[in-house]
Amino acid sequence: MTTHTALIVDDEPDIRSLLEITLTRMGITTHTAADLGSARNLLEKHQPHLCLTDMNLPDGNGIDLVHWIQQHAPNTPVAVITAYGSMDTAIESLKAGAFDFVSKPVELPRLRELVNSALKLSERDEQQNTDKDEPGLLLGNSPQIRKLRTQTRKLARSQAPVFISGESGSGKELVARMIHLQGPRSDGPFIAVNCGAIPSELMESEFFGHKKGSFTGATENKDGLFRSANGGTLFLDEVADLPLAMQVKLLRAIQEKAVRPVGDTKEIPVDIRVLSATHKHLAELVQQGNFRQDLFYRINVIELAVPPLRDRSEDISLLARHILERIAREYECAPATLTHDAVNRLQNYDFPGNVRELENILERAFTLCDDDAIDANDLHLNGGVVPDIAADTGGIDNTPLPVTNNGSNTAIPDGEIDLENFLETIERQAIEKALEATRWNKTPQQGD
């Protein structure tokens, strides 16, 4: 059994003693230092599994030590002890690479949670090569996706809130799942919620839970999303769609690490990591007054940008093969293949709907193609560019299909007509136009 070690850095003897007693009772061997110089020497000598450092030290500050550890002992998680209410300092330490932070006066249950999470991370590092580029859910060999995987692995080591930006359908939830799976919370739940899909009058109950009888229809106690994610990760997708009143309550829950269920008089502690995402420009919404600046800075400690599919066209062939294999498993049949012309057509397509659109294009082609080989014409990409219509608002493109001189949307062939095939062609064109208008997103839009 591995004996865990920890370094405690604080110039106050009473704080050092409190932390040392707490960690020793957890079975951890401790070393202590009163300044940066001593801390660096002990880190080089003992290579501890965890470092706890105060912010204010005689010869520098805790963030200086965080930077030093990032360079000389990157596998040692470091947590910073901050003054009560110093959220700016805490955020600064997270951006510098700190694993997490704890505020004075130190709450021992919170400290134990932090230590256990850090030790899980150290154990994971010892069991596997963290530098290995395992694709996981993020498939591709392009420089952009390799960089994204590297960033994801690094962010998985931290407990800092991460804001994931990117276009619709680019894979923001997959990135959030990878951060969760590669971090110390991987054994806990991953709860994803679309903030734009919850009616405003139910939001507080959905997020924080409620007590039985607290309002009409509350026939039993409900935990809510925060408590359901306890010990794991809460992913707030489309966080820009939260109404301002809910943003205030969300900010408090994140800062206090506690929630108050509807109808209850006391707050309940929660241990979660918050990840968030939206395809909208959140900074612009802050300037317009539609998103709270304090919440923006709280969830956007670190921003991670997901590249659009058109910027990594060399990944399309690999992604397409993976998608077709999945479709084949669902249909319980042999997977279809793409011809060389079909691959070229996809690689030269703009993909306004990104990976989600690629999935829908291939599923449609798989269903409609005559054999197991999908050719360029089976993709029905209409030359390669879909009009940039109001996809973000669920708008429909009312541009008519090409009309012939007989007033029909499809030219009527000369001679005898195969009526069944002719009507099937018209129906297929109508379906394709509707799919194009929604960027091949077949999920009903909110409010439809």
Side-chain angles (χ1 to χ4, degrees):
M1 181 176 178
T2 303
T3 301
H4 294 117
T5 58
L7 173 62
I8 299 168
V9 187
D10 200 303
D11 62 339
E12 297 183 38
D14 291 345
I15 298 294
R16 287 202 306 271
S17 297
L18 172 64
L19 297 176
E20 190 172 10
I21 291 170
T22 303
L23 269 60
T24 300
R25 287 177 176 173
M26 296 176 68
I28 300 169
T29 300
T30 60
H31 306 279
T32 62
D35 52 50
L36 285 178
S38 301
R40 294 185 186 118
N41 291 334
L42 288 169
L43 281 163
E44 291 177 338
K45 182 178 180 180
H46 296 287
Q47 297 179 349
H49 297 92
L50 165 68
C51 177
L52 288 171
T53 180
D54 190 25
M55 181 58 67
N56 298 313
L57 298 168
D59 53 348
N61 61 50
I63 294 179
D64 293 333
L65 185 59
V66 172
H67 285 301
W68 189 91
I69 289 175
Q70 290 294 300
Q71 293 179 358
H72 299 91
N75 290 331
T76 299
V78 53
V80 175
I81 303 170
T82 65
Y84 177 75
S86 300
M87 190 54 62
D88 291 342
T89 303
I91 290 174
E92 186 182 355
S93 68
L94 292 172
K95 287 184 175 179
F99 166 78
D100 206 346
F101 69 92
V102 61
S103 299
K104 290 181 180 180
V106 177
E107 297 178 0
L108 295 186
R110 162 78 179 130
L111 176 64
R112 294 188 188 99
E113 289 174 356
L114 183 154
V115 169
N116 284 327
S117 293
L119 294 180
K120 285 181 183 178
L121 187 59
S122 293
E123 290 172 358
R124 183 182 293 268
D125 289 345
E126 291 177 355
Q127 293 170 2
Q128 64 188 26
N129 181 3
T130 54
D131 293 331
K132 190 175 182 182
D133 185 23
E134 291 290 347
L137 300 174
L138 304 176
L139 298 177
N141 296 311
S142 63
Q144 294 90 336
I145 204 70
R146 286 181 178 274
K147 178 181 178 182
L148 181 64
R149 285 200 295 262
T150 299
Q151 293 173 322
T152 299
R153 285 196 305 275
K154 183 177 180 181
L155 292 177
R157 295 180 52 80
S158 167
Q159 294 300 291
V162 177
F163 173 65
I164 305 168
S165 61
E167 297 178 4
S168 293
S170 57
K172 297 186 291 296
E173 183 173 338
L174 289 182
V175 171
R177 286 185 181 275
M178 284 302 297
I179 292 174
H180 170 77
L181 291 173
Q182 293 178 321
R185 296 177 176 272
S186 59
D187 293 335
F190 177 88
I191 304 295
V193 52
N194 186 334
C195 297
I198 304 175
S200 57
E201 64 272 14
L202 298 178
M203 274 192 174
E204 189 171 359
S205 171
E206 288 294 316
F207 277 105
F208 308 138
H210 61 247
K211 291 193 70 175
K212 179 180 178 180
S214 57
F215 56 86
T216 303
T219 57
E220 57 186 15
N221 292 335
K222 180 176 181 177
D223 283 345
L225 295 165
F226 269 74
R227 282 195 284 169
S228 296
N230 195 47
T233 303
L234 178 63
F235 175 53
L236 303 175
D237 198 9
E238 299 304 341
V239 69
D241 293 339
L242 287 172
L244 287 170
M246 190 63 204
Q247 292 176 29
V248 178
K249 295 173 182 177
L250 180 64
L251 174 65
R252 176 174 175 79
I254 293 174
Q255 289 189 163
E256 301 299 325
K257 298 182 182 292
V259 297
R260 179 180 295 174
V262 177
D264 206 340
T265 57
K266 62 181 180 179
E267 291 189 331
I268 301 173
V270 289
D271 171 31
I272 63 171
R273 184 182 189 183
V274 175
L275 307 176
S276 57
T278 184
H279 68 278
K280 298 179 180 179
H281 296 288
L282 209 53
E284 292 182 4
L285 294 178
V286 171
Q287 292 180 343
Q288 296 166 6
N290 295 321
F291 198 86
R292 289 183 62 94
Q293 187 178 52
D294 46 9
L295 179 59
F296 171 72
Y297 286 125
R298 191 67 188 92
I299 65 175
N300 192 26
V301 172
I302 300 173
E303 182 172 350
L304 183 60
V306 181
L309 184 56
R310 61 181 169 275
D311 286 352
R312 53 186 188 102
S313 59
E314 60 263 52
D315 292 335
I316 288 176
S317 179
L318 174 63
L319 288 170
R321 185 164 65 249
H322 174 77
I323 292 167
L324 289 172
E325 289 173 353
R326 175 181 57 77
I327 292 172
R329 288 194 299 271
E330 293 174 356
Y331 281 79
E332 297 182 350
C333 62
T337 58
L338 289 170
T339 65
H340 182 71
D341 288 343
V343 173
N344 283 340
R345 179 70 64 84
L346 288 172
Q347 289 178 335
N348 288 286
Y349 180 64
D350 193 49
F351 282 106
N354 291 289
V355 180
R356 185 184 298 130
E357 183 180 353
L358 174 63
E359 291 176 338
N360 289 318
I361 288 171
L362 292 175
E363 185 169 0
R364 178 187 63 185
F366 179 85
T367 304
L368 297 178
C369 72
D370 294 330
D371 51 34
D372 292 336
I374 297 175
D375 199 6
N377 292 331
D378 296 320
L379 301 172
H380 298 285
L381 296 184
N382 297 330
V385 178
V386 173
D388 187 13
I389 53 169
D392 292 339
T393 59
I396 300 299
D397 179 19
N398 292 314
T399 304
L401 290 169
V403 179
T404 61
N405 57 10
N406 56 28
S408 170
N409 286 331
T410 302
I412 299 177
D414 295 330
E416 295 184 1
I417 300 174
D418 184 340
L419 185 59
E420 183 176 352
N421 286 337
F422 180 66
L423 292 176
E424 181 180 325
T425 299
I426 295 176
E427 181 181 12
R428 184 171 66 182
Q429 287 182 350
I431 292 173
E432 289 172 4
K433 180 171 175 59
L435 287 169
E436 288 174 2
T438 58
R439 293 185 179 180
W440 285 272
N441 184 357
K442 293 176 283 186
T443 305
Q445 299 294 315
Q446 183 71 18
D448 286 356

